[in-house]
Amino acid sequence: MSESPEPGDPEQEPSKDENSDDYQKLTAPSSDHPRSIPTVNGKNVSNGKDKKHFKKYFPTDEGYCSSSSTPKSSAPLAQESTTDVLTAKLPDLTDGTLAVSLTEDALTKEEKDNRPTWGKKADFLLSIIGFAVDLANIWRFPYLCYKNGGGVFLIPYSLMLVFGALPLLYMELVLGQYNRLGPISVWKICPLFKGVGYCAVMISWYVSFYYNVIIGWTVYFIYKSFSSELPWMQCGNEWNSELCWSGSLNFSDTNATNRTSPAQEFFEREVLEIHLSTGIDDLGAPRWQLLICVVLVFTILYLSLFKGVKSSGKVVWVTATAPYVILTILLLRGVVLPGAVNGIKYYLRPDIHKLLEAQVWIDAAVQVFYSVGVGFGVHLTYASYNRFHNNCYRDCLLTTGANSFTSFYSGFVIFVYLGYMAEKQGVPINKVASEGHGLVFQVYPEAIATLPGAPFWAVLFFFMLLTLGLDSAMGGLESVITGLIDEFQPLFGRWRIRREIFTAMVISVSFCIGIVNVTRGGGYMMYWFDTYSAGISLLFSALLEAIGVAWIYGLENFCENIREMLGFFPGLFWRLCWKFISPIFLVAIIVSAIITNPPLIYQSYKYPEWAVALGWTFALSSVIIVPVVACYKLYKARGSCTERLAKVITSKQDAKKADKRHTEVTATGKDLAHPVDEVVIKQFHMSHWVYV
C-alpha cells in the first residue's frame, strides 16, 4: 500500500516513517486517480526503454519541478483532455505492462496538497499590508519619534528596515509559499528548529491577550462619541477630579504641572478607572462596559476567521483601505490649524546626538520588527495560501513600502495636531504627550474636541483605529489557528474538530485571559503585557528563524527554492543579509536591550520585583520552547549521536532521499559506513557553511 505524500513537499517522494527500517514500495494506482504518478507494474517509470516509451505518450512539463529553469505555465498541459490521454491506445512496454496514469508534472503544487488559496491576489496583498500597518504605526511610531528627538529616529528606523526586517520578511514569505504549511509544520525543512514555529505561535497568541482589549477601547470611544458634546471636552463630570483643568496651561505657574486635562481624566478615570487601583496586585472586578466592547471585538474576529482566508480575505478590503482615506481627511483638516507647521518642523528636524544613545536603536529595532510583523509567523501563514508561482518578492517590497509610508505619513497627521495642541496650551511640543497609547486616547481626542463638528471627527478617528487594529488581530490569531491545525491535522481529523470549532476555542481562551485587562487595575496589566509579550522574545524568534533557514537548512537550498518558485536567483544583498547582516543586527539589539533594560514604570507607578520576575518568565516562556523541542527531537531520533544529529538537521525531503540511497546500497550487498548518505547530508560538508 502506498502512502500519500506529505502536503507541501516540493518533490513527491514516497513517504515513510523516519524511524522505520524498510522503505515502502508503491503499488500500481488506478487509472482514474488524478494524482497518480507514472507506474509500470507498481514501479516508477524511471529509466531504460520503458521510460522512452512512456515519455513518447506522456510528455512532461518541466515547470516549477526544475529548480534550474524559469517557471513555465502548466496551463497548456492542464487544458488537454484527461479522457483523451487515458483512453489513447498505448503500446505494451518492454516488460509487457501498460502505463495507466498521468504524469505528476501536469499538476500544480496547490492541486497536490488541496490547500485553500486566496480568492484574489489582492486579498493576500491587503492582508499582509493590513497586518503590517497597525495601531503601532499611529501611536507607537510618532511617539517614538517624539521621544527620540523627532526626525532623527527615521535614520535608525530605515537602517533596521533595510538590513533587518525587509530580508527576513522576504524569507518568511518564501518559506510559507514554497512549503505551503503553517509556522510550525514548515520546519520540516529542519526538525531541530521546529520550536521556532511554536515560539512564533505563542508570541502571536500572547499579543492577542491585550491587543484586542485596546481595540475594545476604540469601540468604547466610538460609542461615547455619538453625542452632541464629547464627554472629554469639559471638566465637571462625575469622574473628574479637582485637578481637572480645561483651559490653557501656563507652565510658568507652579501648579500647572499638577493639573490634568479632561481628555486625560476621561481615559484614566472613566475608561480605565485606574485611579481606583493601587497597582498590579489590586485588579478588582471587570468593568462591564469594556467587557461588552471586548466581546464585540472577539465576535468580529471570529466571524472574520472561522472560514479561513476565504472570509478574512473579504474583510481586509475595508479594514486595510479605510485608514488611508481617513488619515488623508484628518491631515487635510489639520494642516489649516494654528501651530500645525511647527508640529511638522519638529517632526522633520533631527537631533543627531540622539544617534549616540543605544535606546534609540533598540526602539527602532523593536518598532520595525513589531510593525512589519517579522517573527510572528503571520506573513508565513498568509503566504502558505498563495499559489506556488506567486511573485512574493514583489509582495515583500510592496508591503514594507506601504508600512514605512504609513508610519511616515501618519507621523505628519499626528504632529500636525501635536503642534496645534502645543500652540493652544502655550507649551513646547515635547510637553504635550508622555505615554504611547496616551497619544491616541488622550492628546488626539483632546485636539479633536476643539474642532467644529467634533463628534464626527471623533467617530472618524476611532473608526480608523478600529480598522487598523482588526487587521493585525486577525493576522495574529490566523497564525495560531493555521499553525496548530497544520501541525496536528491527523489529531483534528481523528477527533473531528472542524476549523470553525477550533477557531472558537482559540478566541475564547484569548478572551478569558484578556478579561484581566478590563479590570480597574487593567491599565497596569496592559502595560505589563505590552512590555513582555513581544519585546525581546519577538527579536529572538526572528533571530532563530534566520539562523535555522540560512545556516542549518542552508542558504543554497533556500536560494534554489526561490529559483524553483520565481525563476530567478536572489542577489548577493539578500544572501548576505540572510546569513550575516540580519542575524548580527538582531544579536546586537538583543544584547543591548538586556543590558540597558530600564525599570518597569507606568506613569508614576513602579512595578514590584515579583511582577518584573514574572514578566521575564512570561517573555522567556515562548523562547524556552525552542531548546525543549530540539532536545525532544534529538531524543526521539534513532541511531548514534551523529545519525541523530543528521536526522534532525536534515529536511524531510533530503532525509527521504538519504533513506532511499541507503536502501539501494543495502540491496546491492555493499557495506555502507553510515545509515545516512553523506552525499545528501550537506550539513556535514564545509561548503554548506561557507556558501554565500
Side-chain angles (χ1 to χ4, degrees):
M1 179 178 180
S2 63
E3 294 186 31
S4 60
E6 181 177 350
D9 279 355
E11 298 184 12
Q12 301 299 324
E13 297 281 353
S15 61
K16 67 182 283 292
D17 189 341
E18 62 183 355
N19 295 325
S20 175
D21 295 328
D22 298 325
Y23 199 77
Q24 299 288 345
K25 295 184 178 179
L26 288 173
T27 58
S30 62
S31 61
D32 59 348
H33 197 294
R35 288 185 172 80
S36 300
I37 63 175
T39 58
V40 177
N41 278 352
K43 300 179 182 179
N44 291 348
V45 180
S46 57
N47 50 45
K49 296 181 179 179
D50 291 346
K51 183 175 181 181
K52 294 180 181 178
H53 283 291
F54 192 89
K55 282 191 173 182
K56 178 179 179 181
Y57 292 92
F58 294 103
T60 60
D61 176 24
E62 294 300 327
Y64 63 82
C65 296
S66 173
S67 61
S68 60
S69 62
T70 302
K72 301 177 182 178
S73 172
S74 60
L77 199 62
Q79 292 173 357
E80 294 182 7
S81 171
T82 304
T83 305
D84 293 343
V85 176
L86 289 177
T87 59
K89 184 177 179 180
L90 300 174
D92 291 342
L93 299 180
T94 55
D95 61 352
T97 58
L98 188 70
V100 295
S101 58
L102 292 175
T103 63
E104 186 101 337
D105 293 342
L107 301 173
T108 60
K109 193 177 183 70
E110 53 266 21
E111 287 175 331
K112 295 175 186 177
D113 55 28
N114 289 322
R115 190 175 183 84
T117 56
W118 295 96
K120 298 178 181 178
K121 169 62 182 291
D123 294 352
F124 164 70
L125 197 57
L126 288 175
S127 294
I128 58 175
I129 291 176
F131 174 75
V133 178
D134 66 344
L135 291 172
N137 295 80
I138 303 298
W139 67 260
R140 190 186 294 266
F141 182 85
Y143 165 68
L144 291 176
C145 281
Y146 141 76
K147 174 186 174 184
N148 295 307
V152 72
F153 186 70
L154 298 177
I155 298 175
Y157 177 87
S158 300
L159 291 175
M160 292 295 175
L161 177 67
V162 172
F163 293 101
L166 178 61
L168 295 182
L169 173 60
Y170 187 19
M171 175 183 287
E172 281 200 358
L173 293 180
V174 170
L175 274 179
Q177 184 170 304
Y178 183 83
N179 295 283
R180 293 179 62 79
L181 291 169
I184 301 176
S185 302
V186 76
W187 287 100
K188 67 177 186 177
I189 65 172
C190 179
L192 186 70
F193 274 64
K194 199 168 195 174
V196 177
Y198 285 103
C199 177
V201 166
M202 292 176 69
I203 292 174
S204 295
W205 200 30
Y206 288 171
V207 171
S208 71
F209 298 161
Y210 76 95
Y211 190 83
N212 297 322
V213 176
I214 297 178
I215 305 175
W217 292 351
T218 66
V219 174
Y220 187 74
F221 270 87
I222 291 175
Y223 167 72
K224 286 293 186 178
S225 297
F226 284 102
S227 59
S228 57
E229 181 178 290
L230 295 177
W232 57 83
M233 287 185 65
Q234 302 292 336
C235 298
N237 301 289
E238 59 181 358
W239 59 80
N240 290 127
S241 68
E242 297 179 353
L243 298 176
C244 182
W245 180 260
S246 57
S248 299
L249 295 179
N250 182 3
F251 274 71
S252 61
D253 184 357
T254 56
N255 295 323
T257 55
N258 295 325
R259 294 173 179 169
T260 54
S261 67
Q264 179 181 347
E265 291 207 347
F266 175 80
F267 177 65
E268 294 179 354
R269 301 174 67 89
E270 164 62 10
V271 179
L272 302 183
E273 290 189 350
I274 198 170
H275 65 290
L276 300 178
S277 173
T278 59
I280 194 173
D281 53 354
D282 180 25
L283 298 179
R287 292 206 60 216
W288 66 268
Q289 298 93 332
L290 290 182
L291 192 61
I292 292 176
C293 293
V294 175
V295 168
L296 179 60
V297 170
F298 276 99
T299 301
I300 295 174
L301 290 174
Y302 176 77
L303 295 176
S304 302
L305 294 171
F306 79 107
K307 287 294 185 182
V309 295
K310 297 299 182 183
S311 56
S312 63
K314 303 299 181 292
V315 177
V316 294
W317 281 87
V318 175
T319 56
T321 57
Y324 293 99
V325 177
I326 299 175
L327 276 174
T328 302
I329 295 174
L330 291 172
L331 179 60
L332 294 176
R333 179 65 184 90
V335 293
V336 299
L337 296 173
V341 175
N342 293 332
I344 294 176
K345 288 181 179 179
Y346 185 83
Y347 176 51
L348 298 177
R349 183 171 57 238
D351 180 4
I352 301 299
H353 298 290
K354 284 286 185 177
L355 294 177
L356 301 177
E357 299 180 12
Q359 189 61 41
V360 174
W361 295 87
I362 295 173
D363 288 343
V366 173
Q367 169 61 17
V368 164
F369 285 101
Y370 195 97
S371 181
V372 173
V374 175
F376 287 104
V378 175
H379 295 300
L380 189 155
T381 299
Y382 279 156
S384 70
Y385 295 106
N386 274 336
R387 297 193 178 277
F388 186 73
H389 292 305
N390 172 65
N391 192 342
C392 57
Y393 173 71
R394 180 182 56 195
D395 296 338
C396 171
L397 298 180
L398 287 174
T399 301
T400 52
N403 179 69
S404 301
F405 168 77
T406 307
S407 296
F408 188 68
Y409 186 56
S410 64
F412 281 98
V413 180
I414 294 297
F415 274 86
V416 159
Y417 286 91
L418 288 181
Y420 166 63
M421 287 303 301
E423 179 82 10
K424 180 175 177 289
Q425 297 182 3
V427 299
I429 295 178
N430 59 0
K431 298 293 184 181
V432 175
S434 59
E435 290 292 340
H437 55 67
L439 199 61
V440 294
F441 290 108
Q442 296 178 34
V443 177
Y444 223 90
E446 184 178 359
I448 291 175
T450 63
L451 302 177
F456 167 77
W457 297 107
V459 171
L460 198 64
F461 174 71
F462 288 112
F463 178 75
M464 178 189 68
L465 296 185
L466 175 64
T467 56
L468 285 170
L470 286 175
D471 280 336
S472 299
M474 286 191 297
L477 288 172
E478 182 63 51
S479 174
V480 177
I481 295 167
T482 297
L484 295 177
I485 288 179
D486 282 355
E487 178 63 16
F488 301 104
Q489 193 170 19
L491 189 63
F492 281 90
R494 189 182 311 122
W495 289 357
R496 297 182 180 180
I497 301 177
R498 301 174 59 186
R499 179 189 169 95
E500 293 87 342
I501 297 175
F502 185 66
T503 301
M505 293 168 59
V506 171
I507 288 180
S508 297
V509 174
S510 296
F511 168 74
C512 291
I513 298 177
I515 290 177
V516 71
N517 295 309
V518 298
T519 60
R520 291 197 306 265
Y524 300 114
M525 287 301 306
M526 288 288 295
Y527 189 75
W528 185 86
F529 272 115
D530 187 39
T531 302
Y532 295 111
S533 293
I536 298 294
S537 57
L538 180 64
L539 299 176
F540 265 114
S541 176
L543 172 64
L544 294 173
E545 180 181 283
I547 294 175
V549 173
W551 288 90
I552 309 301
Y553 176 59
L555 196 57
E556 183 178 8
N557 291 333
F558 187 66
C559 292
E560 286 296 334
N561 295 159
I562 295 175
R563 182 159 60 180
E564 186 178 346
M565 281 196 310
L566 306 182
F568 58 83
F569 206 78
L572 181 61
F573 167 78
W574 300 105
R575 304 198 301 272
L576 288 175
C577 285
W578 287 329
K579 195 151 191 174
F580 301 108
I581 301 176
S582 296
I584 290 174
F585 260 86
L586 287 169
V587 169
I589 296 303
I590 290 172
V591 172
S592 298
I594 295 175
I595 294 176
T596 62
N597 181 48
L600 188 62
I601 299 176
Y602 177 65
Q603 297 180 348
S604 58
Y605 173 75
K606 184 176 181 180
Y607 286 74
E609 294 297 328
W610 66 265
V612 175
L614 184 63
W616 277 105
T617 303
F618 181 67
L620 295 177
S621 64
S622 57
V623 179
I624 200 66
I625 195 70
V626 177
V628 169
V629 172
C631 292
Y632 174 77
K633 288 293 182 181
L634 285 169
Y635 171 76
K636 291 291 290 183
R638 295 180 180 179
S640 64
C641 292
T642 302
E643 293 167 0
R644 289 174 183 238
L645 180 61
K647 288 182 179 180
V648 297
I649 65 175
T650 306
S651 68
K652 287 189 176 181
Q653 176 186 344
D654 287 342
K656 290 174 183 177
K657 292 180 181 179
D659 286 340
K660 184 176 181 180
R661 171 63 178 160
H662 173 58
T663 303
E664 292 173 351
V665 172
T666 303
T668 62
K670 297 180 180 180
D671 187 23
L672 190 66
H674 301 286
V676 182
D677 189 356
E678 294 183 354
V679 176
V680 176
I681 308 303
K682 300 177 182 178
Q683 289 85 344
F684 288 167
H685 295 265
M686 182 60 67
S687 59
H688 172 86
W689 301 97
V690 300
Y691 177 84
V692 175

